[in-house]
Amino acid sequence: MKFFRTLLICLLIVGFILYKQGNEQVVTSVHSMADSLRSYSESITKRPEVSNIIAKLQEGYQSLKGELKEIETQEQVEIPSLKTPEEQTFSVHNIEIGDTKAEVEKQAGKAKRASYNEYGVKWYAYHENYQNFFMAAYDDQGKVAGLYTNQDLVSSKNGIKLNESKESVVQKLGEPVKGIRKGFVMYQVQASGEYNIYEMDHCYVTVFFDKHKNDTVTALQIISTGLEQEKKEFFAPGSEELEEGFEYQLFDLTNAARVKHGLPVLSWDDHVKVTARGHSTDMAQKSYFSHESLDGLSPFDRMDRDHIAYRAAGENIASGQVSSIFAHEGLMNSMGHRKNILSPNYNSLGVGVAFDSESRPFYTENFIGK
């Protein structure tokens, strides 16, 4: 009996700790002239009665065990043998700018998704359950005009690859460009330190760095000069198809990042997407940027209003980034947002994007643990 009394006391203490932790809120924010990011997360745990503390703890244990099992049993896909590029300085999945769509599909199979990007063409997402993830964009002749990856698929003539230090990149590539000219206008590149843009091989190459891994290379984007020049303004004109494109791209980018860090993928949730889109639209139309709406609703008030059931939930918001890729990489470099993206407590995601009257995008990511 003494053993069981001791066990019950321990369970009560653990239950109280879980209750206190479950009601903590984490709010972080990063501001700059060019973009803004905020995150907000909360775990919801109702106060348990003494009689069901054990059941609640067992339920949590079983959930955690299931998530760990999912990670362990996910079939690992072999990384392709990367070769030195033949024409360009960089390649992704042994694919270079100028290759044909047929050559890409021979390497990677059919795309899992195609969605519009800020250049007026589509990103085609290639992966095997988000392993070996990359995106390719094609010009009107069916040739590769854009590439992106945040996984270990980068090869280069000078040996630059993922996890390379920023110092080494600068040593090999020199100083990045300070601006991109479009017609008579020079658009200045923000000196945030989170990425460098280089002009080479008739392309703009953006090297993204991970501030939380000693400023090492975490992703690469290559856009042909021709495709870049087709975008006449800093922000692409807002449209329904671009909103949807950014939403699905952020979903794919999030899952690719999770797999890269050994986490299970999230499921897309249309119901949650409606809530996320609603908040982005509200911010865009009413010219504010906050987790709390002007009528005083928190992210969790909005989820409750929309009858979304959850045991844990979190929200990331961002505004002013030129694309889904820049928004995602910025979120990953802010610890609060990164924690939401890489949290094992979530299993679903809904993303909503809206544009204001000046085509400035507002992004909302709502994470759900059911």
Side-chain angles (χ1 to χ4, degrees), residues 308-361:
I308 295 171
Y310 56 91
R311 61 174 174 79
E315 178 176 274
N316 286 347
I317 59 175
S319 177
Q321 296 79 16
V322 69
S323 72
S324 57
I325 288 174
F326 278 84
H328 171 75
E329 297 299 339
L331 290 167
M332 284 294 290
N333 265 328
S334 175
M335 185 52 74
H337 310 91
R338 185 187 186 98
K339 286 181 178 179
N340 274 341
I341 291 169
L342 301 180
S343 173
N345 297 324
Y346 304 134
N347 48 37
S348 299
L349 173 63
V351 183
V353 176
F355 297 92
D356 67 11
S357 59
E358 297 179 347
S359 291
R360 177 187 176 96

Side-chain angles (χ1 to χ4, degrees), residues 27-237:
V27 182
T28 63
S29 61
V30 177
H31 295 283
S32 71
M33 292 182 64
D35 54 35
S36 302
L37 303 168
R38 289 189 183 176
S39 71
Y40 190 106
S41 63
E42 179 183 82
S43 295
I44 302 300
T45 307
K46 295 181 179 180
R47 183 187 297 273
E49 299 295 335
V50 174
S51 60
N52 67 7
I53 288 178
I54 296 176
K56 288 290 184 183
L57 292 173
Q58 288 176 335
E59 180 183 342
Y61 169 73
Q62 292 299 327
S63 175
L64 177 60
K65 188 168 72 171
E67 290 172 354
L68 291 173
K69 184 177 180 181
E70 183 177 353
I71 295 172
E72 292 172 353
T73 58
Q74 184 177 6
E75 183 180 352
Q76 295 299 305
V77 177
E78 185 178 356
I79 298 174
S81 177
L82 300 177
K83 303 174 183 177
T84 302
E86 296 179 0
E87 302 292 336
Q88 303 281 310
T89 302
F90 288 96
S91 64
V92 172
H93 202 293
N94 294 324
I95 296 160
E96 301 179 41
I97 297 295
D99 286 351
T100 66
K101 189 175 183 179
E103 290 172 322
V104 174
E105 292 183 348
K106 183 178 180 180
Q107 289 269 0
K110 296 288 186 180
K112 297 295 192 295
R113 191 196 311 279
S115 56
Y116 278 99
N117 61 29
E118 67 275 18
Y119 296 104
V121 297
K122 292 180 179 180
W123 277 124
Y124 288 77
Y126 298 88
H127 58 87
E128 297 174 73
N129 198 26
Y130 292 100
Q131 297 178 68
N132 293 338
F133 175 87
F134 73 97
M135 298 193 297
Y138 301 98
D139 61 20
D140 54 9
Q141 296 180 344
K143 293 187 176 182
V144 176
L147 287 166
Y148 167 87
T149 188
N150 59 0
Q151 295 188 0
D152 191 14
L153 299 173
V154 175
S155 182
S156 67
K157 288 183 176 179
N158 48 30
I160 294 174
K161 55 186 178 181
L162 249 63
N163 300 317
E164 186 106 357
S165 70
K166 181 191 288 188
E167 181 181 4
S168 176
V169 170
V170 173
Q171 185 178 19
K172 293 175 180 178
L173 297 182
E175 292 298 321
V177 300
K178 299 186 183 301
I180 297 177
R181 181 175 294 279
K182 293 178 180 290
F184 296 105
V185 179
M186 175 68 78
Y187 290 95
Q188 187 174 0
V189 174
Q190 184 188 7
S192 65
E194 296 183 5
Y195 56 85
N196 287 351
I197 299 179
Y198 296 93
E199 189 173 3
M200 61 178 68
D201 305 328
H202 304 291
C203 295
Y204 288 98
V205 178
T206 304
V207 184
F208 295 94
F209 302 103
D210 190 335
K211 291 169 58 177
H212 303 291
K213 292 183 68 177
N214 301 316
D215 278 333
T216 52
V217 176
T218 189
L220 184 81
Q221 176 183 268
I222 311 172
I223 301 295
S224 72
T225 302
L227 186 59
E228 181 64 50
Q229 292 304 321
E230 287 183 15
K231 186 164 76 76
K232 303 303 182 184
E233 305 290 340
F234 182 75
F235 292 124

